[in-house]
């Protein structure tokens, strides 16, 4: 990492890491709740499948965060994603009268 | 590296993934290497247990029913009022008869009693004196790969989870980088300058790719409930109580409670005797609510990838009547994750598959080591042209030497400590581990005080060779479990550890020979060209011959 900061604006990488790992983590959680509620069939089975593949989704999301050229777009997309999935899972929970 | 590349932004997906692969990999490669080394040894954990406690008798000649009878007798006379009992007979890879029991949930205000575990002599029924040579054994070594050591277990587990995520991303990005995976299989160019280590990295990773994908993703599946509990709880409207009620059903956990009425427990060994099973067919014989009217006996069977999701035979604990053979898990997703976990642990593997697991694990170690060495080598050439020393490069080189070879010496020292520490030493099992980490600490410091890194590599390889070639000698001097006895009697478990130790030592000697030859070759090259280049020979891999 020492080599890294010698040649690059360190904070850009830090910001990207925070977006990928922390914002990404929040997004996967909120998206996960939405997908569980959307999946047909048994609720428990849906929890099982979403949990099993949560890390795959998280990994792919992290990879995307490091691929997308614009850091602003990374933060923007993640923020929109979190807000949208929180809203939709809230709506779905309200429809099923769980909240 | 250009600014855009260094900040992870590049034009093509392949380029950006190369950045991720390089930096995620480099940052944690030493811990990943540690996980691979200790985890790989974990595939032979019970074998190492036996090597580390050669005094304990292994009774492969006792029948299954007699095994169960001994365990049953111990539990009946020593453990009353337990929630459940488990007896695991002596099996091919389970060297000792062991019994395990859990206590009922404590009343509010009471403290939970610690679950019990005892190993028994399957012939005499005596409790095995495991303190005779107190040791961490193979279990301590294996546990390090997901709990580390000296750090609070919960924190370490989470840390390992994050590193496993990076490892999985590392494997995925590795696949993206290599457009021609099949070609990599057959590419090894030891003579082409600067490519040998990359080729080795590719060969090791690509040949074991399915294993690396499986092992890192299944490692993550272990972590799901630790990292993503909110998905499950959130889908219950964040009502933790209803989640706590519902979720155990997913894992087939029953909510049965012990009946008030008591009743004598049926004879376990007679029950087992009526079945045409051998010890190797059985994962364990469990009794729930022993002594209660609703007691039942669960015989959980091997024969699937993960016995915890496999079949079990259930009997009435009082009458001994067959109740049914039931699948414990009714959810496809849990069967899937259970299968992945079973693949990770490899408990189902017979000798051949176990060796494959071990070799794949070794390839994982090689993958981490060669990746780290290649990182140094690639930058070294560039920095040599610039003509000034680089702090980061030296640091990585030192950590490479101190970990890649140093950790091997440290693990060897762990085995030495098992034989050489006084038997009466207080806290002996912990001292074995202290010896391991002290050795590693010395190996980590050593390259920092050596100016010539190639020399440091040679010296550390010498250390590895010494530790492993002499281990069988130390073993012979201190115990009766040495090759002179284990080979003639065909005890491949004990002999295997000694032989593998000799092989490791032999490989270290081979590494020294190669390094020496290269050192000579580059010294000659220096005489015939400019002599000033070697002021910073940062690693042994700087020049290929």
């Amino acid at each position: 990492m020492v080599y890294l900061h010698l040649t690059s604006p360190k904070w850009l990488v830090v910001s990207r890491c925070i977006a990928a790992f922390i914002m990404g983590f929040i997004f996967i959680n909120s998206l996960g709740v939405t997908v569980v509620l959307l999946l047909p069939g048994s609720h428990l089975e849906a929890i099982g499948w979403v949990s099993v593949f949560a890390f795959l989704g998280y990994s792919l999301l992290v990879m995307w965060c490091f691929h997308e050229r614009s850091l602003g777009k990374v933060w923007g997309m993640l923020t929109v994603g979190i807000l949208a999935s929180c809203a939709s899972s809230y709506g779905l929970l309200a429809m099923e009268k769980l909240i | 590296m250009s600014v855009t590349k260094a900040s992870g932004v590049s034009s093509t997906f392949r380029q950006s993934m190369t950045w991720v692969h390089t930096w995620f990999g480099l940052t944690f490669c030493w811990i990943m290497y540690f996980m691979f080394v200790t985890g790989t040894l974990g595939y032979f954990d019970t074998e190492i247990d036996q090597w580390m406690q050669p005094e304990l008798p292994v009774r492969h000649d006792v029948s299954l029913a007699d095994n169960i009878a001994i365990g049953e007798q111990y539990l009946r006379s020593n453990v009353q009022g337990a929630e459940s009992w488990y007896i695991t007979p002596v099996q091919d890879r389970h060297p000792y008869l062991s019994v395990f029991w859990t206590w009922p949930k404590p009343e509010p205000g009471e403290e939970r009693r610690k679950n019990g575990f005892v190993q028994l002599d399957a012939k005499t029924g005596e409790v095995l004196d495991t303190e005779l040579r107190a040791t961490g054994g193979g279990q301590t070594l294996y546990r390090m790969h997901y709990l580390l050591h000296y750090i609070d277990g919960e924190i370490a587990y989470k840390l390992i989870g994050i590193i496993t995520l990076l490892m999985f991303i590392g494997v995925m990005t590795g696949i993206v980088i290599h457009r021609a995976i099949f070609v990599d299989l057959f590419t090894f160019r030891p003579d082409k300058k600067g490519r040998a280590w990359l080729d080795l990295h590719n060969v090791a990773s690509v040949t074991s790719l399915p294993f690396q994908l499986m092992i890192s993703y299944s490692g993550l599946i272990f972590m799901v409930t630790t990292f993503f509990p909110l998905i499950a709880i959130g889908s219950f409207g964040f009502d933790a109580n209803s989640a706590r009620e519902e979720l155990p059903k997913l894992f087939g956990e029953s909510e049965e409670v012990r009946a008030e009425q008591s009743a004598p427990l049926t004879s376990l060994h007679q029950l087992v005797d009526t079945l045409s099973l051998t010890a190797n067919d059985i994962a364990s014989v469990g009794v729930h609510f022993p002594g209660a009217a609703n007691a039942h006996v669960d015989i959980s069977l091997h024969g699937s990838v993960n016995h915890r999701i496999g079949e079990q035979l259930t009997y009435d604990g009082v009458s001994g009547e067959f109740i049914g053979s039931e699948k414990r898990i009714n959810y496809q997703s849990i069967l899937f994750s259970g299968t992945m976990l079973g693949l990770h642990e490899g408990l189902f593997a017979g000798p051949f598959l176990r060796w494959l697991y071990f070799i794949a694990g070794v390839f994982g170690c090689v993958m981490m080591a060669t990746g780290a060495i290649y990182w140094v080598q690639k930058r070294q050439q560039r920095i040599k042209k610039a003509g000034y020393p680089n702090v980061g490069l030296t640091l990585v080189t030192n950590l490479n030497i101190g970990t890649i070879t140093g950790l091997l010496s440290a693990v060897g020292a762990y085995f030495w400590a098992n034989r050489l520490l006084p038997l009466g030493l207080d806290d002996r099992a912990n001292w074995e581990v202290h010896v391991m980490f002290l050795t590693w600490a010395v190996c980590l410091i050593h390259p920092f005080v050596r100016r010539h890194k190639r020399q440091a590599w040679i010296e550390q390889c010498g250390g590895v060779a010494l530790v492993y070639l002499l281990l069988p000698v130390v073993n012979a001097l201190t115990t009766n479990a040495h090759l002179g006895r284990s080979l003639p009697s065909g005890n491949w478990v004990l002999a295997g550890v000694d032989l593998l130790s000799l092989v490791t030592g032999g490989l270290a000697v081979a590494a020294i020979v190669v390094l020496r030859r290269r050192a000579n070759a580059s010294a000659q090259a220096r005489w015939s060209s400019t002599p000033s280049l070697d002021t910073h020979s940062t690693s042994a891999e700087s020049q290929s011959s």
Side-chain angles (χ1 to χ4, degrees), chain B residues 50 56-60 62-75 86-101 117-130 269 279 282-285:
Chain B
Q50 280 182 66
L56 296 189
V58 179
R59 311 284 196 197
H60 280 302
V62 179
S63 77
L64 171 62
D66 291 345
N67 260 282
I68 302 297
I70 295 273
E72 184 180 359
Q73 195 189 356
Y74 178 87
L75 288 165
Y86 297 91
I87 306 172
T88 310
V90 179
Q91 298 166 350
D92 285 350
R93 284 203 70 246
H94 190 270
Y96 316 114
L97 166 63
S98 61
V99 293
F100 174 79
W101 61 92
F117 176 76
V118 163
Q119 292 179 331
L120 301 166
D121 187 323
K123 202 165 243 165
T124 64
E126 280 170 59
V127 175
L128 291 180
D129 185 5
T130 49
H269 67 276
I282 287 183
S284 69
V285 174

Side-chain angles (χ1 to χ4, degrees), chain A residues 1-10 12-13 16-17 20-21 24-37 42-71 89-90 93 96 98-99, chain B residues 1-4 6-14 16-17 19-20 23-24 26-27 161 165-166 168-169 172-173 176 217 220-221 223-224 227-232 234-239 246-247 249-250 330-334 336-337 375 379 382-383 390-393 395:
Chain A
M1 289 313 273
V2 179
Y3 184 58
L4 183 66
H5 88 128
L6 287 178
T7 53
S8 74
K10 192 159 73 175
L12 273 180
V13 178
R16 201 176 276 273
C17 286
F21 288 101
F25 183 74
I26 298 170
F27 177 57
I28 291 295
N29 270 294
S30 53
L31 181 70
V33 175
T34 311
V35 176
V36 168
L37 295 172
S42 151
H43 182 194
L44 285 176
E45 184 82 294
I47 290 176
W49 282 121
V50 170
S51 300
V52 162
F53 288 108
F55 270 115
L56 183 64
Y58 191 22
S59 307
L60 294 173
L61 185 67
V62 169
M63 284 164 72
W64 172 78
C65 289
F66 281 88
H67 172 63
E68 175 51 49
R69 178 181 286 268
S70 153
L71 191 53
S89 54
Y90 186 85
L93 283 170
E96 294 185 25
L98 283 166
I99 230 169
Chain B
M1 191 173 279
S2 71
V3 172
T4 47
S7 50
V9 191
S10 320
S11 43
T12 72
F13 189 54
R14 191 165 166 263
S16 55
M17 290 305 102
W19 186 92
V20 170
W23 295 103
F24 285 17
L26 179 77
T27 314
L165 174 74
L166 298 178
F168 179 66
I169 294 175
M172 302 257 282
T173 52
V176 173
Y217 201 72
L220 287 173
I221 290 181
M223 306 276 177
V224 163
F227 278 80
F228 291 111
L230 279 179
I231 293 180
S235 71
F236 286 103
F238 296 96
D239 179 354
E246 289 292 312
L247 287 175
K249 292 179 191 163
L250 199 50
N330 295 309
Y331 292 92
Q332 293 298 317
S333 53
I334 302 305
F336 173 79
S337 63
W375 186 92
R379 274 143 198 88
R382 197 159 40 215
I383 275 158
N390 183 294
V391 186
L393 197 60
L395 177 70

